[in-house]
Amino acid sequence: MEQYPHIRILMGIVLGLSITTLLKGLAQYVQHPGRQKPYWIHIGWAVTMFVLLVHFWWWEYRLTHVQEWTFLRYGFLIGYIVLFFLLCTLLFPDDLRDYDGYRDYFMSRRRWFFGLMALSYVVDLGDTLIKGRDYFAGLGHEYLFRNAAYVLLCLVAMRTRSQAFHAGFVAIALLYELSWIFRLYEHL
């Protein structure tokens, strides 16, 4: 238990970099409103990622109950949070000169973005198991269905350029994530 605060520090640093990337990316629309035309699906995923990151930090509190830490568990968790960082950097690249705005960029990088997002939902299963089998079982069948559905939707999103699909996916993902948080994690 004494090891967890040490582990949480590195996780917090990477999480902080992820949130910074999102907030800096969103702030550019205020700082330079005419420079890049906003693409609402892209902004929707940035907001969804922010919610996922805040949610991640909340549910990681359960790691305080882990009695035995190994370097493998530690590495696994650091790898998990790095996935979120990569997702955030894919949303807001350093340079858009090779693209015709955020819509063009997002669609050209959708395979990377949704591939990493699908991987994050698979890795989430391991993260949940680290917190204990009772915790895992307490999430019920919805948890497994949720993760499987997200993986499938991400696989479709990797392949399609359909604006209707991407609009529906980001709207459903954000609303569902908020619902999930308020139904399951109102209290620590």
Side-chain angles (χ1 to χ4, degrees), residues 73-111:
R73 281 185 177 170
Y74 167 69
F76 179 85
L77 291 171
I78 298 306
Y80 187 23
I81 190 66
V82 165
L83 281 174
F84 285 115
F85 177 75
L86 292 173
L87 285 164
C88 293
T89 60
L90 279 169
L91 284 171
F92 291 104
D94 294 333
D95 184 354
L96 278 178
R97 278 182 268 183
D98 296 336
Y99 304 94
D100 187 27
Y102 274 105
R103 181 179 178 164
D104 180 43
Y105 171 78
F106 184 76
M107 284 295 134
S108 73
R109 293 288 161 250
R110 72 186 185 282
R111 287 182 180 93

Side-chain angles (χ1 to χ4, degrees), residues 44 47-55 58-59 121 142 146 150 169-186:
V47 170
T48 301
M49 284 305 304
F50 181 79
V51 170
L52 285 169
L53 290 167
V54 170
H55 183 195
W58 181 263
W59 86 60
Y121 283 100
E142 181 183 358
R146 165 192 179 259
Y150 270 119
F169 186 17
V170 72
I172 289 167
L174 180 57
L175 292 173
Y176 181 80
E177 193 63 28
L178 290 170
S179 164
W180 178 259
I181 290 167
F182 290 116
R183 287 182 296 119
L184 295 176
Y185 297 107
E186 185 175 342

Side-chain angles (χ1 to χ4, degrees), residues 84-161:
F84 285 115
F85 177 75
L86 292 173
L87 285 164
C88 293
T89 60
L90 279 169
L91 284 171
F92 291 104
D94 294 333
D95 184 354
L96 278 178
R97 278 182 268 183
D98 296 336
Y99 304 94
D100 187 27
Y102 274 105
R103 181 179 178 164
D104 180 43
Y105 171 78
F106 184 76
M107 284 295 134
S108 73
R109 293 288 161 250
R110 72 186 185 282
R111 287 182 180 93
W112 277 100
F113 181 78
F114 292 110
L116 288 173
M117 184 173 277
L119 180 59
S120 78
Y121 283 100
V122 172
V123 171
D124 184 64
L125 296 168
D127 175 70
T128 303
L129 279 170
I130 287 173
K131 294 173 187 125
R133 293 197 184 277
D134 290 339
Y135 179 74
F136 189 94
L139 294 174
H141 295 294
E142 181 183 358
Y143 172 70
L144 294 172
F145 177 77
R146 165 192 179 259
N147 285 27
Y150 270 119
V151 169
L152 289 174
L153 288 168
C154 285
L155 293 175
V156 172
M158 289 171 68
R159 297 203 179 279
T160 185
R161 294 184 70 87

